[in-house]
Amino acid sequence: MSKLIDGKLVAQSLKKEIKDEVLKLNKEGINVGLAVILVGDDPASHIYVKNKAATCDTLGIKSFEYNFSNNASTKEILSSIEKLNNDSRVNGILCQLPLPYTIDKKAVIEAISPIKDVDGFHPVNTGKMLSGYGELLPCTPSGIIKLLDYYDIKIEGKNAVVIGRSDIVGKPLAVMLSKRNATVTLCHSKTVDLKSITKTADILISAVGKEGLISADMVKSGATVIDVGINRTDKGLVGDVCFDEVSKVAGYITPVPGGVGPMTIASLMFNTVKAAKIQNGMKI
Ligand code: NAD
């Protein structure tokens, strides 16, 4: 039976450190603020934004919320971002994805000042990450690395297989694991014979969004299995991994919910504090 990787527990411990850091900054006269832009009425996005604001509250970070209707134009959103870029109360800006198809996502991401880009999606931050000196790294992949480190799961020299090549999870995660000296294989929807590849993984990460994608026969005995997928089903939220059967084979496994999700929010708060320090010329 595998050991459970408890994302809630690790996120709590990270959030405690962040809260202490915010207090220290407050004592130096620095307040930390995060602005979240929400466009449209996607119910899941509304829940995510509410959770982010609530987490800010518990950590002493001031949150600013900007809601736009489905009919909003790219121009309106860009103008709001410009104001936030120049607002000294705001250290971090994020625009909740997905955006309605009418909005120019690339323009929105590029409008956010790189030093306030706490999602780490701006091309300047992506480039820095690729070059190995990134400061604001994408939240879900950096949360996953923190989970592995917390449980002392060795990354160096291991075979890591990442399934899913999105800009927000799969691609940056492959880069970060490679920086930590794993041998990385990045799989996607056109990968042929996925099972033959996943069987080689010491660390297997699924970021696809397909219930039941990873069955026990695809997992090497003792492997670490990280499930990023979020699928809404009649049974509630489930990941990509068949948890019951895979947990009999894996060495470590994350649950859904309560695995990667809480780390994503905690990493966002971590980035916001980091951004505040960068903007105040402090060491990070
Ligand atoms: P995405 O939805 O943009 O893309 C999915 C990826 O999966 C693509 O790269 C595609 O090539 C690949 N794929 C699709 N079918 C496949 C198959 N049969 N075999 C192999 N690869 C396949 O990716 P995303 O935005 O990274 O989201 C992936 C999942 O992770 C979703 O369920 C999303 O809700 C979840 N997610 C969770 C968190 C979190 O904090 N827990 C954060 C971000 C995303």
Side-chain angles (χ1 to χ4, degrees):
M1 204 61 188
S2 54
K3 200 168 175 225
L4 196 73
I5 296 182
D6 186 344
K8 273 197 207 157
L9 176 95
V10 185
Q12 273 311 336
S13 131
L14 178 60
K15 284 192 282 187
K16 194 186 168 302
E17 283 172 32
I18 296 167
K19 194 171 179 179
D20 292 345
E21 204 62 38
V22 172
L23 274 174
K24 266 196 232 158
L25 289 171
N26 290 161
K27 281 192 187 128
E28 296 189 36
I30 298 165
N31 292 314
V32 184
L34 172 67
V36 180
I37 297 170
L38 176 59
V39 190
D41 47 20
D42 176 54
S45 292
H46 275 266
I47 295 172
Y48 293 144
V49 168
K50 216 173 108 204
N51 287 344
K52 285 169 187 173
T55 311
C56 279
D57 276 352
T58 63
L59 302 183
I61 296 174
K62 178 136 182 60
S63 67
F64 304 87
E65 207 179 306
Y66 298 85
N67 291 303
F68 290 88
S69 77
N70 256 322
N71 305 324
S73 66
T74 301
K75 205 172 154 201
E76 281 173 82
I77 297 162
L78 295 186
S79 132
S80 167
I81 292 175
E82 198 186 329
K83 283 190 200 119
L84 294 170
N85 281 340
N86 294 313
D87 186 338
S88 59
R89 298 169 307 160
V90 172
N91 304 105
I93 306 168
L94 78 85
C95 191
Q96 185 66 43
L97 300 179
L99 285 166
Y101 72 95
T102 45
I103 303 294
D104 182 347
K105 179 177 142 193
K106 182 171 167 280
V108 168
I109 289 175
E110 291 185 5
I112 296 173
S113 163
I115 56 166
K116 294 193 176 185
D117 167 41
V118 283
D119 261 339
F121 296 161
H122 192 286
V124 165
N125 287 323
T126 311
K128 283 185 177 178
M129 178 188 64
L130 272 173
S131 304
Y133 59 92
E135 288 164 334
L136 297 174
L137 301 169
C139 301
T140 303
S142 58
I144 292 170
I145 300 284
K146 287 187 183 93
L147 277 181
L148 296 173
D149 286 342
Y150 187 93
Y151 283 89
D152 273 332
I153 295 164
K154 200 172 164 219
I155 301 175
E156 182 164 310
K158 299 294 177 190
N159 286 337
V161 173
V162 179
I163 316 174
R165 57 174 163 184
S166 71
D167 290 341
I168 63 170
V169 185
K171 271 194 237 169
L173 182 57
V175 173
M176 288 182 208
L177 288 165
S178 166
K179 184 167 189 244
R180 291 286 299 269
N181 297 323
T183 302
V184 184
T185 309
L186 184 55
C187 302
H188 46 78
S189 58
K190 304 285 185 248
T191 297
V192 175
D193 194 4
L194 187 64
K195 181 176 159 183
S196 70
I197 301 170
T198 59
K199 282 290 266 183
T200 67
D202 301 306
I203 301 172
L204 175 62
I205 296 145
S206 183
V208 173
K210 195 169 172 207
E211 182 189 3
L213 180 71
I214 307 297
S215 48
D217 60 337
M218 297 170 78
V219 178
K220 178 161 111 177
S221 173
T224 295
V225 178
I226 307 285
D227 193 353
V228 187
I230 300 176
N231 306 294
R232 283 160 221 283
T233 71
D234 297 343
K235 297 167 275 170
L237 281 191
V238 299
D240 294 344
V241 176
C242 302
F243 184 87
D244 290 344
E245 59 178 70
V246 173
S247 58
K248 293 190 181 106
V249 181
Y252 286 89
I253 189 166
T254 57
V256 176
V260 174
M263 290 305 292
T264 298
I265 295 203
S267 296
L268 173 69
M269 302 297 141
F270 180 82
N271 272 355
T272 305
V273 172
K274 214 176 191 184
K277 288 183 167 179
I278 294 170
Q279 288 154 35
N280 284 282
M282 299 165 85
K283 214 170 139 250
I284 51 167

